[in-house]
Amino acid sequence: MKRACLGALAAAGLLAPLAAQATEGALGRPVAGTSVSPNVGVIPDQPVWIGNLQQLYLDGSVSGGREVAIGGRTTAGIDAKLALTLATVMKVWNTGPGAWNFATSFTLPYVWTSVHATTAFTGANGAFSRGSSDRASNLYDIYFAPVIAGYHFSKTSHMALSFNIWAPTGQYDKNALANPGLNTWTFVPQVAFTHLMPQYGLEFNAVAAFQFYTRNSATDYQNAPLFTLDVMGVKKFGAWGAGVVMGTVQQLGDDTGPVADRLNGFRGHDFAIGPIVTYDTRLAGKHPLSFSLRWVPTVASKNRLDGTATFLATATLVF
């Protein structure tokens, strides 16, 4: 049961990588440094239900007059704020205490976003610019994983394999700067790994994934595949823990379409690093409950939102 509780405290985090605007909007679905969590590679070996609530806040920009592809057009820079709430329910199936265990998850997200963009013009009197702003709040694209397969190499080393899907269920308007949805299906094969060193109170976690987007039919914009890698090291001090999170998003090719072609493919990448604090307890003395808070500012980026205020808070309950 100990292994079941460890995995349950983090498994929902494995299944709910965070998201925002498309690569078309200089971010993509992943936010660097937010997909990894403590014990992320452990799927419980007993049948349980897991509830997970995540809250992301991101304040980022692409400045310096750099052109950004968004809403079927280009802008000379962009400032964006995002608050994304994700509620996840995961069912761990009764597959016995063997090396393999399996689960299924579903995530319902809600998003609030505010975007300010600058458009540059050239007229008879020379070059000038005009700013415009937009806000949106509504249900975001739903996210689900039909099958997650967990493998236990040993009592201290674990792996979880999943094939995750974002469905374009959120509202989308190609003429809007801010949209609750992305208007693309996104397919995310993912592998997570956890290694525990209980004698030292240490644990190491990593999540690697690829993201494959369908074409945005409203803007004829095709996002290139992305590779994401997030790693975490945590030191436990009783119920509390503290550590470091690092993450990167690397675009594996050029975007295509009329707007992307004008921007020479709009290929981007970023890297983020920051601290995390965790706390583990039990609700009513028997249901494992875990909290975490992290700050993962961007330290390097190209053609992606550069954010200094990127915060993620999570709560996970086993029942």
Side-chain angles (χ1 to χ4, degrees), residues 111 138-142 167-173 179-183:
V111 66
N138 211 321
L139 291 175
Y140 185 65
D141 297 338
I142 63 171
T169 56
Q171 295 179 356
Y172 184 83
D173 179 357
N179 271 297
L182 301 190
N183 200 40

Side-chain angles (χ1 to χ4, degrees), residues 18 30-37 229-232 245-249 270-273 276 294-296 310 312:
L18 293 166
V31 177
T34 61
S35 69
V36 67
S37 58
L229 175 65
D230 288 351
V231 297
M232 171 193 293
V245 179
M246 296 181 291
T248 185
V249 177
D270 65 10
F271 177 76
I273 184 171
I276 183 172
R294 73 187 68 182
W295 172 51
V296 280
T310 305
L312 172 64

Side-chain angles (χ1 to χ4, degrees), residues 295-319:
W295 172 51
V296 280
T298 304
V299 295
S301 68
K302 177 184 178 182
N303 289 338
R304 292 180 60 81
L305 289 180
D306 189 343
T308 57
T310 305
F311 297 94
L312 172 64
T314 68
T316 305
L317 175 66
V318 183
F319 52 96

Side-chain angles (χ1 to χ4, degrees), residues 95-122:
T95 51
W100 288 96
N101 298 109
F102 300 91
T104 300
S105 82
F106 176 84
T107 298
L108 184 66
Y110 188 90
V111 66
W112 173 90
T113 181
S114 174
V115 178
H116 178 82
T118 301
T119 304
F121 300 91
T122 302

